[in-house]
Amino acid sequence: DGVTEVLARHSESLQDKFVEIPCSEDYDSHKRFEGCTPRKCGRGVTDAVITREEAERIRRIAERGLSLGGSDGGASILDLHSGALSLGKHFVNLYRYFGDKIQDIFTEEDFALYRDVRLRIQQRIAQAFGISSASMYLTKPTFFSRINSTEAKTTHDEYWHPHVDKVTYGSFDYTSLLYLSDYTEDFGGGRFVFMDAGSNKTIEPRAGRVSFFTSGSENLHRVEKVHWGTRYAITISFTCNPDHGIGDPVLM
């Protein structure tokens, strides 16, 4: 695993921490959007954008949605935009599968909070990278994840492999994660790991903590396997290409 340096401990409350790193060439193989496509790359962590109380409210949205399904393996996802929900070894469309019952699960307030949180994270990323938040667009997939120690049943459950978001998804230019539970209190393992040449930089999740980074291979990363408990997070990603933008989720 090489040398591990902790970028953010779960026990500390960080105002803002930002590390600039050289950009990879990944962005050159895509259309560039001046004033948005990364020219400055790096990674940041902040505990000052979303409160713990807001994180708990968002986690309850995730818990209610995921209680309708859940993977047979250890990793379940819920995407409020597309309606994708893990169910057994497959995915179902939450909105089609449950129809009008959705109104009993989620409220307009839930979706308003989701939008507000997304906007604040977007503004924080824009500020850190010196771009205009208006030039960034929410992109897919943007989803809740619930990870526990159950053994993987399909490749969808194998969340721990190293990957590059720009390579995996194409549209991603900036990735963010909002953690909804606490490392060592709610779960063990499950730290976020940036895999740099010769060393690893880790982030220990903490409810309300936002980590964000440019999506190219300058930020190769993985998540450690969760050994016990349950880890909740939401991945919110942005593109510079308006053609790949999506709207905020709406209560059907």
Side-chain angles (χ1 to χ4, degrees), residues 53-202:
E53 188 256 345
E54 287 169 329
E56 279 163 23
R57 284 169 58 200
I58 292 173
R59 189 178 77 203
R60 288 198 288 273
I61 298 172
E63 286 169 343
R64 289 201 303 273
L66 285 160
S67 71
L68 301 172
S71 160
D72 287 345
S76 302
I77 73 147
L78 164 66
D79 182 335
L80 290 180
H81 297 264
S82 68
L85 171 71
S86 302
L87 187 66
K89 292 184 176 62
H90 308 283
F91 294 95
V92 294
N93 183 312
L94 179 78
Y95 301 120
R96 282 208 295 271
Y97 201 76
F98 294 100
D100 295 340
K101 292 201 190 84
I102 283 301
Q103 308 281 349
D104 304 329
I105 310 294
F106 303 119
T107 64
E108 285 295 352
E109 289 76 23
D110 293 338
F111 281 65
L113 175 64
Y114 184 99
R115 284 193 297 275
D116 182 42
V117 161
R118 185 271 305 161
L119 185 61
R120 277 186 273 158
I121 292 173
Q122 183 169 341
Q123 289 166 340
R124 181 66 199 88
I125 294 172
Q127 185 190 346
F129 290 101
I131 60 174
S132 157
S133 72
S135 65
M136 298 163 68
Y137 302 88
L138 192 63
T139 192
K140 62 182 182 186
T142 284
F143 56 91
F144 289 107
S145 57
R146 180 185 72 195
I147 305 175
N148 59 33
S149 60
T150 309
E151 195 183 328
K153 301 293 190 290
T154 70
T155 51
H156 292 300
D157 299 321
E158 296 181 15
Y159 56 84
W160 54 81
H161 299 297
H163 64 279
V164 172
D165 289 348
K166 188 88 188 141
V167 174
T168 306
Y169 301 112
S171 64
F172 285 26
D173 290 304
Y174 300 93
T175 306
S176 75
L177 288 141
L178 167 58
Y179 297 108
L180 306 175
S181 47
D182 291 299
Y183 172 68
T184 74
E185 288 174 39
D186 298 312
F187 61 91
R191 294 183 302 173
F192 185 95
V193 184
F194 288 112
M195 303 176 71
D196 297 339
S199 77
N200 288 335
K201 311 284 194 298
T202 70

Side-chain angles (χ1 to χ4, degrees), residues 27-48:
Y27 308 99
D28 299 338
S29 53
H30 295 262
K31 185 178 175 186
R32 292 193 78 92
F33 292 84
E34 219 37 66
C36 180
T37 300
R39 292 203 179 275
K40 169 185 177 180
C41 291
R43 50 189 74 146
V45 189
T46 176
D47 294 315

